[in-house]
Amino acid sequence: MPHAPLPFALETERLTLQLWEEADAEGYRRLVVERLRDHAERTGGLEQHVDEPMSLDEALADIRGARESAPARGIHLLTLHPRGSDEFLGYCGLVIGRSTIDEPELAYELLRSAHGRGYATEAAAAVVEAARATGRQRLWATVGSWNAPSFRVLDKLGFRRDRTAIEKEAGEIVWTVLDLA
């Protein structure tokens, strides 16, 4: 069933959510470094080159690819910035992920410096409302079982736990669902 596309920009009381810009590349690189460090800390493993997981050119290529593919898919990730600022905080949006285009996944990831301020909940609530406006009936979110802060965000939005799966790379993943209708 075709759905209206997710908007390329949203605003909340404190945030601007917008399609990726090349100026977001350095913030995106920092986010990837933090993700790899967190994974290494959780698993006790040592990640090689954790401080340089990608070059600026690779980050720019990812951003260009995301911008180019967004119109055709109709779902995408939006970067988060404080209103009136170009400071990169992270991203939030809809992805196919482990689900489908008709019932996509809500995804969000913020820099550590943006944690604990309610930005993830605020941005995700805006994306959920925008998803509802596209005509979708259901959203999913998959979360590592260790990620208590993400569960708090999803609980505030009304997601409920559906099932658990074990994945080789990710470990225990909890599937959560939100009925939009």
Side-chain angles (χ1 to χ4, degrees):
M1 167 172 143
H3 301 283
L6 190 69
F8 292 141
L10 299 168
E11 283 199 347
T12 70
E13 182 178 331
R14 299 180 299 157
L15 300 171
T16 298
L17 291 74
Q18 63 190 28
L19 208 53
W20 292 86
E21 298 285 343
E22 290 187 5
D24 297 318
E26 187 53 42
Y28 175 56
R29 286 178 68 199
R30 284 195 327 268
L31 194 63
V32 171
V33 168
E34 288 183 4
R35 181 190 314 143
L36 291 174
R37 284 184 181 154
D38 288 348
H39 178 75
E41 289 171 10
R42 271 194 326 279
T43 62
L46 285 176
E47 299 290 335
Q48 290 184 351
H49 310 293
V50 72
D51 291 323
E52 291 295 328
M54 68 171 53
S55 69
L56 185 57
D57 287 341
E58 290 169 320
L60 286 167
D62 283 357
I63 288 169
R64 288 179 190 126
R67 285 186 63 82
E68 290 169 8
S69 63
R73 281 193 318 257
I75 63 172
H76 40 269
L77 296 173
L78 301 169
T79 60
L80 310 181
H81 300 268
R83 284 182 76 164
S85 170
D86 61 358
E87 177 190 2
F88 178 88
L89 300 175
Y91 64 77
C92 183
L94 300 179
V95 298
I96 294 174
R98 296 175 178 95
S99 195
T100 68
I101 193 77
D102 290 328
E103 294 185 0
E105 281 195 60
L106 174 68
Y108 48 88
E109 185 175 20
L110 279 68
L111 289 168
R112 287 180 186 166
S113 61
H115 288 191
R117 298 181 185 180
Y119 291 146
T121 303
E122 187 173 331
V127 169
V128 166
E129 287 310 308
R132 184 175 279 117
T134 71
R136 287 184 165 75
Q137 300 296 305
R138 181 175 296 138
L139 293 179
W140 295 90
T142 56
V143 182
S145 61
W146 54 268
N147 194 341
S150 280
F151 286 116
R152 285 192 297 274
V153 169
L154 295 170
D155 287 345
K156 290 175 189 175
L157 298 173
F159 278 78
R160 62 180 165 74
R161 294 177 191 218
D162 183 73
R163 65 183 179 274
T164 301
I166 304 295
E167 295 183 0
K168 184 177 181 180
E169 293 294 319
E172 186 176 58
I173 299 295
V174 178
W175 286 71
T176 65
V177 63
L178 177 66
D179 292 316
L180 298 175

